[in-house]
Amino acid sequence: MSFRPLSPPESPTANNSNNHNQSMSRSSESDLSVDTDIIIGHLDPNFGSETRIENPKTPSSHQRNASSYSRNYSLLDFYGLESPSGDRESEPLIDASIMKGLDDLEFKELSHANTIFAKSVVPSPETEASVRENYIQPTVSENIEKILNSPYDRYGFRKSSTLHNITHDHYNEWFSDYSQYALRRKKKWHILMKNNGLHLEQEDSIPTRFPPKSDKVKKLIRQGIPAEWRGSAWFFYAGGHERLNKHIGVYSQIVRDTRDIHNKDTEVIERDLHRTFPDNIYFNSQITSPVNSSSTTLATDTSAAPPETPMIKSLRRVLTAFAHYQPQIGYCQSLNFLAGLLLLFMEEERAFWMLVILTERIIPKVHSANLEGVHTDQGVLMLCIKEYIPQLWAILGKNFEGEALSEDKILTRLPPVTLVTSSWFMSLFVGILPIETTLRVWDILWYESSKTIFRFSLTICKMCLENPDFQASRNNNKGGAEMDQIELFQFLQNFPKTILDPNLLVDNCFKKIGGYGFGSLSQDEINKCREFVSKQRAKLDHKKNNNIAAEMTDEERRTLISSSDGTFADDQSIHDVYGFHRSIMSGVIWNKSISNKMKRSFVKRKTSR
Amino acid sequence: MAFNSANNPSGGSDKSNILRKYKIVFLGDQSVGKTSLITRFMYDTFDETYAATIGIDFLSKTMYLDDNKTIRLQLWDTAGQERFRSLIPSYIRDSHVAVICYDITNKKSFNNLDKWIKDVKLERGDDVIIVLVGNKSDLANDKRQVTLEDVEALHRKVGSKFFIETSTKANHNVKLLFKKIAQSLPEFNTGDNDLLATENRANKPETIDISIENNSSTDVNGANGCC
């Protein structure tokens, strides 16, 4: 279902083109171990132990590992003990039929979860599409006219954005062209399906199975998946079916367990529910009645909460269940946007598992309590910018004082520009790029995995650098060096919003436009860089923390420790948390440019010490 | 948005002088109204809901002050969730002002001010102007959980420059907040007391809490960032 880390960068999927059928039927979770992101698996204790059987130790209670996966319900059992209902122990392993029964009895209001569960037992192409309310209108010419006349786009987002200078007309101008492009793509997809023996019942039915990975499929993916097929295709290529089939009924069970819980996570989730896509009709029921604006008076009764859309209810359940299932992450702001966008395209249970796949395999640790994955990935991105866009690095690779940053500084005190780019990784461009552009990146992301985020980040950076306004903004600034940077950050922050045409971004990324793109940046290189950066960060952080700690009073140290989510923990526990204790890198042949350079420079530094 | 304004910072009135830029960080718990405050100030608009801020947003606005001075405020809007605090040092580094916000209808957001203030002081010592802002004052009648006495006590304890209650929804005190921030910047504290005095008088009708005036006198030694 995906490529091996050592496959050639230009055709990463080639050697797996016939793997698809096997992986569909294979039941072992460990077939994920050959997936794109396996190399980074060691970053994640769950994943590492899940796939590397050489860690047979008894799990500590906060970790999920091989044994808990194979038993499926161990985590639930663990939580069951703490859950308010407290009756979990009396319901040990529940099989699917019992679960179904329970659902029918007790989950009447969870109509979505219920039906999802029922049909997810056996993914059946014929029934799938009709079960759930479809938020996404089919790509057919009759709908185009409708969308052109509506103030909302085909996903329910308000077309115009005053903050980003996009008007309704502006949007329509782009959409009338793009919708024709989308129609042509859909025809190509139909041909592809037919050539692969995947017949669609009707012209407008949504496939649940897709062709195995191949260069041809990859090409079409990069050109965009038909909007109404997206949920199904993302789920398929991300390995959702395998995950779901191994965890039948688990989602419903967690939802049931977490139904009435109130904790720190749910408190934060509640505050974010209505702050998730307030410009989308499926999330914000008030959007069509313009009660806002400056005419609002103090007398307005704000205590009357706006009616909740079904989408918000789904979002609450998914986020709460996720926080419960992944306690080392809990709830992190930005997960609301990820789950929210998934929910527009697929049912709750699937969205839940996609979130799990995302946070375990694609961007591990990015949403964890100390955001270490964000720091790691920003370190990697900075190294990539340094390597691939040196002209931009010359501008951004400085601290606020304007000093160029040395490599070890890049990794510990990240360049300030990472304050802008961090959110690209946390929200996977949701809210950063215009919606259709985001979706096109997601099409590729679920198929090609995490290198996609780096490739597109680099592409945005490069397009930004080449934008005449960026240069103008550079030259216009007359303040101190440090403040110039901030104005540039602003530009970099707002620039992605202007990329209304997804093809512009995609073509830039895969070098259809201009001299070079970033299609050659391989997953292998990203994986090794991630590995390297996280190791170095752990070492340097540890050292730094020790030094700081030595200068502090006891009280300060205690405060810091309690406020820093364990980053001040001692060496041993750092290893426990991040899984750095195994020297995975030993014996790996490391011949990629960045990785090599980094390794050399650090070896030098180490030996000179 | 800010992207446009970023294009013409030099298009302002001062051709000869360097436009003074000040970095102002907005901190405080999730959904107390940081983004809303900034949006009200930048665009004079208000929405019931804003998308949650992830990481950080950079905005800037040039302010023309009464004495023909022009300054540029660079506003850093931050995510409120606790775990984003691991990014805090970079937020706070080099900031001139830390605007620490709470929601007057949410006691917890007020109780957490201590932590935010500690973060700021850990990074900047006393080298930064701290301002306490209680937002959502339009809900004061029904839902107030934090009194002015509460915040005044905290203000004295931590030595903030001033405190103020605002309502972004009712557009109350937002302009005043930014005006007072501008006035507390080093440039305006070089003995230009006349300016301060006139400002305070002019703003009296707008001010809901008289203690603001009291503070501006008691605060002179409280704010160490003033010269």
Side-chain angles (χ1 to χ4, degrees), chain A residues 164 417 419-421 423-424 431-433 460 464 470 485-498, chain B residues 1-3 43 53-60 75-77:
Chain A
H164 297 102
V417 68
L419 291 172
V420 177
T421 50
S423 62
W424 299 359
I432 310 286
L433 292 165
I460 292 170
C464 188
F470 181 77
Q485 276 205 329
I486 293 173
E487 304 278 343
L488 291 181
F489 297 164
Q490 262 184 50
F491 188 91
L492 182 59
Q493 175 184 273
N494 293 304
F495 174 73
K497 268 284 174 201
T498 64
Chain B
M1 53 189 263
F3 158 16
Y43 314 106
T53 306
I54 305 305
I56 191 159
D57 269 340
F58 297 93
L59 301 100
S60 49
L75 312 176
W76 292 39
D77 187 11

Side-chain angles (χ1 to χ4, degrees), chain B residues 10-206:
Chain B
S10 58
S13 56
D14 58 338
K15 290 230 159 59
S16 50
N17 294 331
I18 288 174
L19 182 63
R20 286 254 185 201
K21 296 172 180 177
Y22 293 98
K23 179 174 151 188
I24 302 175
V25 197
F26 285 73
L27 302 168
D29 278 12
Q30 185 197 11
S31 84
V32 296
K34 300 179 290 294
T35 303
S36 178
L37 262 175
I38 290 172
T39 310
R40 178 58 96 177
F41 173 63
M42 295 282 301
Y43 314 106
D44 198 19
T45 57
F46 173 81
D47 281 317
E48 283 295 333
T49 43
Y50 288 93
T53 306
I54 305 305
I56 191 159
D57 269 340
F58 297 93
L59 301 100
S60 49
K61 182 163 174 156
T62 306
M63 245 184 128
Y64 303 92
L65 297 152
D66 300 345
D67 61 342
N68 292 327
K69 277 182 179 164
T70 309
I71 54 171
R72 189 154 174 85
L73 301 184
Q74 297 184 311
L75 312 176
W76 292 39
D77 187 11
T78 65
Q81 198 190 0
E82 195 169 351
R83 66 186 65 187
F84 285 87
R85 285 188 193 192
S86 64
L87 302 171
I88 285 283
S90 7
Y91 292 160
I92 298 173
R93 221 181 310 155
D94 309 307
S95 56
H96 298 92
V97 182
V99 179
I100 307 184
C101 309
Y102 64 97
D103 169 358
I104 68 154
T105 69
N106 178 352
K107 184 79 179 183
K108 201 170 167 191
S109 72
F110 178 77
N111 293 339
N112 279 337
L113 290 184
D114 270 336
K115 282 206 228 165
W116 291 109
I117 292 165
K118 203 162 212 167
D119 281 347
V120 171
K121 293 201 165 176
L122 207 62
E123 185 67 26
R124 297 284 285 140
D126 288 328
D127 226 16
V128 62
I129 297 165
I130 293 178
V131 173
L132 306 178
V133 177
N135 194 30
K136 311 195 187 176
S137 67
D138 51 294
L139 304 173
N141 289 342
D142 305 348
K143 296 186 164 177
R144 179 188 283 279
Q145 291 183 6
V146 183
T147 65
L148 276 169
E149 289 73 38
D150 292 337
V151 63
E152 184 166 9
L154 183 69
H155 155 76
R156 291 185 192 286
K157 191 178 114 195
V158 302
S160 54
K161 184 74 178 176
F162 64 89
F163 64 91
I164 189 170
E165 289 190 350
T166 58
S167 166
T168 50
K169 184 169 181 171
N171 198 6
H172 190 65
N173 269 356
V174 179
K175 268 187 195 151
L176 178 63
L177 164 67
F178 282 91
K179 207 171 251 178
K180 287 184 74 74
I181 289 172
Q183 285 164 5
S184 42
L185 293 169
E187 195 167 333
F188 301 90
N189 280 322
T190 50
D192 202 354
N193 289 327
D194 287 349
L195 174 71
L196 265 178
T198 26
E199 282 305 309
N200 278 335
R201 231 175 290 129
N203 285 314
K204 233 167 207 164
E206 235 191 309

Side-chain angles (χ1 to χ4, degrees), chain A residues 96-276:
Chain A
S97 59
I98 297 175
M99 283 290 300
K100 234 160 115 185
L102 287 174
D103 275 357
D104 292 340
L105 284 173
E106 300 182 28
F107 271 74
K108 283 295 178 226
E109 79 281 14
L110 290 184
S111 56
H112 276 175
N114 204 8
T115 48
I116 295 153
F117 171 71
K119 77 188 156 58
S120 63
V121 176
V122 181
S124 116
E126 288 76 26
T127 56
E128 187 106 340
S130 56
V131 181
R132 174 177 171 269
E133 176 190 350
N134 249 330
Y135 291 109
I136 311 300
Q137 298 301 312
T139 311
V140 290
S141 37
E142 303 87 78
N143 281 334
I144 294 173
E145 200 57 31
K146 256 195 278 176
I147 296 162
L148 283 171
N149 290 325
S150 159
Y152 304 99
D153 71 11
R154 63 183 306 178
Y155 312 107
F157 291 97
R158 198 190 276 120
K159 288 180 186 171
S160 60
S161 160
T162 45
L163 289 188
H164 297 102
N165 289 323
I166 294 173
T167 62
H168 185 267
D169 291 346
H170 190 170
Y171 182 94
N172 276 357
E173 192 188 323
W174 162 76
F175 184 72
S176 44
D177 278 350
Y178 190 79
S179 54
Q180 295 306 317
Y181 170 85
L183 283 174
R184 291 195 301 272
R185 287 307 100 196
K186 195 177 173 187
K187 279 196 189 114
K188 292 242 179 187
W189 273 95
H190 273 292
I191 294 167
L192 177 81
M193 299 298 282
K194 206 173 157 196
N195 290 344
N196 281 274
L198 297 162
H199 292 286
L200 298 178
E201 289 289 303
Q202 289 158 335
E203 190 71 0
D204 60 349
S205 53
I206 294 170
T208 52
R209 299 189 55 188
F210 289 85
K213 289 189 174 183
S214 69
D215 282 351
K216 191 155 201 170
V217 175
K218 185 169 77 180
K219 191 176 156 208
L220 267 194
I221 292 265
R222 288 180 178 179
Q223 292 173 353
I225 301 169
E228 67 276 24
W229 291 13
R230 276 191 166 120
S232 190
W234 294 348
F235 191 74
F236 181 88
Y237 286 117
H241 288 290
E242 291 89 334
R243 189 63 74 118
L244 185 54
N245 288 340
K246 282 216 63 179
H247 297 88
I248 287 167
V250 170
Y251 175 71
S252 305
Q253 182 60 43
I254 303 172
V255 168
R256 211 157 61 97
D257 283 350
T258 55
R259 211 173 159 187
D260 300 311
I261 63 164
H262 297 284
N263 56 32
K264 212 173 171 185
D265 286 326
T266 58
E267 192 186 307
V268 187
I269 289 169
E270 283 306 315
R271 287 186 179 273
D272 271 2
L273 288 177
H274 295 281
R275 307 199 303 153
T276 307

Side-chain angles (χ1 to χ4, degrees), chain A residues 483-589:
Chain A
M483 288 312 183
D484 284 2
Q485 276 205 329
I486 293 173
E487 304 278 343
L488 291 181
F489 297 164
Q490 262 184 50
F491 188 91
L492 182 59
Q493 175 184 273
N494 293 304
F495 174 73
K497 268 284 174 201
T498 64
I499 311 176
L500 190 57
D501 178 14
N503 288 330
L504 184 66
L505 183 70
V506 175
D507 291 352
N508 260 300
C509 184
F510 300 109
K511 59 178 150 187
K512 279 188 188 164
I513 297 177
Y516 66 96
F518 298 99
S520 60
L521 176 63
S522 71
Q523 189 68 46
D524 191 32
E525 183 163 3
I526 292 298
N527 293 344
K528 285 174 180 159
C529 265
R530 274 176 160 180
E531 153 89 27
F532 179 76
V533 169
S534 62
K535 269 189 171 174
Q536 293 304 329
R537 277 187 59 83
K539 280 186 207 159
L540 294 168
D541 268 356
H542 179 53
K543 209 174 154 218
K544 194 177 73 186
N545 291 344
N546 278 348
N547 290 342
I548 294 171
E551 295 160 13
M552 281 189 305
T553 65
D554 281 351
E555 194 208 352
E556 280 170 337
R557 196 174 299 126
R558 269 196 302 275
T559 320
L560 258 174
I561 289 169
S562 62
S563 67
S564 63
D565 296 304
T567 46
F568 273 70
D570 65 20
D571 203 36
Q572 188 48 50
S573 59
I574 284 175
H575 288 191
D576 285 349
V577 174
Y578 302 123
F580 287 140
H581 52 298
R582 273 167 292 134
S583 70
I584 288 181
M585 290 309 287
S586 60
V588 173
I589 298 157

